[in-house]
């Protein structure tokens, strides 16, 4: 049987559409398009299929996560400002029942106190923070690793 490519959905929350122009000293100079190109190149090398979604609207992110259930194999999510406030995005991630990696360009733990709280950190497999745009490529590698481990577990190792 031909092994199909793992499908990974990247979800980006509010204000990440203006990366590059937005506080470059915190988030770096890369645009979201630049980052997506690097992720797509890495995905091609890894034999993975990637899809990207960005929205400034909480409900649209919830809708996209709901559709992801059964449609993709894993999720990389940067909920951006909603990381610290959104029970709805957390609940949608739980509903997905998919391996997920939480990602931040900056390291929220080193910033204002309100950023130290993540409402999704305990419903994801792991977190990558503070590595800038390259964190997205690392997150792709991380989620593919988790999926490979899961496959091995299923096969009984
Ligand atoms: C962010 C960190 C959040 O605190 C912030 O609201 C963002 C971006 C990051 O990628 O570092 O919008 O998620």
């Amino acid at each position: 049987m031909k092994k199909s490519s793992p499908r990974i959905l990247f979800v980006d929350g509010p204000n990440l559409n203006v990366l590059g122009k937005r506080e470059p000293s915190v988030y770096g100079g890369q645009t979201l398009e630049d980052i997506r190109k690097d992720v797509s190149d890495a995905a091609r090398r890894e034999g993975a299929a990637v899809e990207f979604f960005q929205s400034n609207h909480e409900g649209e992110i919830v809708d996209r996560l709901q559709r992801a259930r059964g449609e993709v194999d894993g999720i990389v999510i940067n909920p951006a400002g909603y990381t610290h406030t959104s029970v709805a995005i957390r609940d949608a991630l739980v509903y997905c029942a998919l391996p997920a990696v939480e990602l931040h360009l900056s390291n929220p733990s080193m910033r204002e106190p309100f950023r130290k709280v993540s409402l999704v950190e305990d419903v994801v497999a792991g977190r990558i923070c503070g590595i800038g745009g390259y964190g997205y490529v690392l997150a792709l590698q991380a989620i593919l690793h988790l999926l490979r481990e899961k496959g091995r577990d299923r096969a009984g190792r």
Side-chain angles (χ1 to χ4, degrees), residues 31-143:
T31 64
L32 194 55
E33 277 316 303
D34 295 336
I35 291 171
R36 287 175 172 180
K37 191 185 167 304
D38 289 348
V39 171
S40 298
D41 290 347
R44 214 167 296 120
R45 287 193 298 272
E46 299 277 354
V50 286
E51 195 188 317
F52 302 106
F53 177 81
Q54 188 278 331
S55 175
N56 292 328
H57 305 280
E58 186 175 21
E60 285 183 4
I61 296 170
V62 170
D63 287 344
R64 186 64 195 91
L65 288 172
Q66 286 184 4
R67 286 202 306 279
R69 179 169 156 152
E71 194 185 85
V72 303
D73 301 302
I75 291 177
V76 174
I77 185 164
N78 182 349
Y82 287 137
T83 306
H84 320 296
T85 63
S86 179
V87 175
I89 289 175
R90 174 200 169 88
D91 288 348
L93 265 176
V94 172
Y95 170 78
C96 280
L98 291 167
V101 170
E102 176 186 354
L103 165 84
H104 300 282
L105 294 121
S106 67
N107 183 350
S109 304
M110 294 171 69
R111 300 178 61 194
E112 304 94 322
F114 64 84
R115 292 187 207 272
K116 296 189 201 301
V117 174
S118 165
L119 295 192
V120 302
E121 68 182 350
D122 59 325
V123 299
V124 294
R127 308 176 80 200
I128 294 175
C129 304
I131 317 290
Y134 189 63
Y136 283 76
V137 174
L138 295 178
L140 172 70
Q141 284 163 0
I143 195 81

Side-chain angles (χ1 to χ4, degrees), residues 4-17:
S4 56
S5 309
R7 298 155 302 174
I8 312 300
L9 173 66
F10 282 73
V11 177
D12 284 296
N15 300 304
L16 294 173
N17 56 317

Side-chain angles (χ1 to χ4, degrees), residues 11-27:
V11 177
D12 284 296
N15 300 304
L16 294 173
N17 56 317
V18 290
L19 278 181
K21 289 185 282 205
R22 175 192 181 203
E23 297 178 83
S25 61
V26 177
Y27 299 115

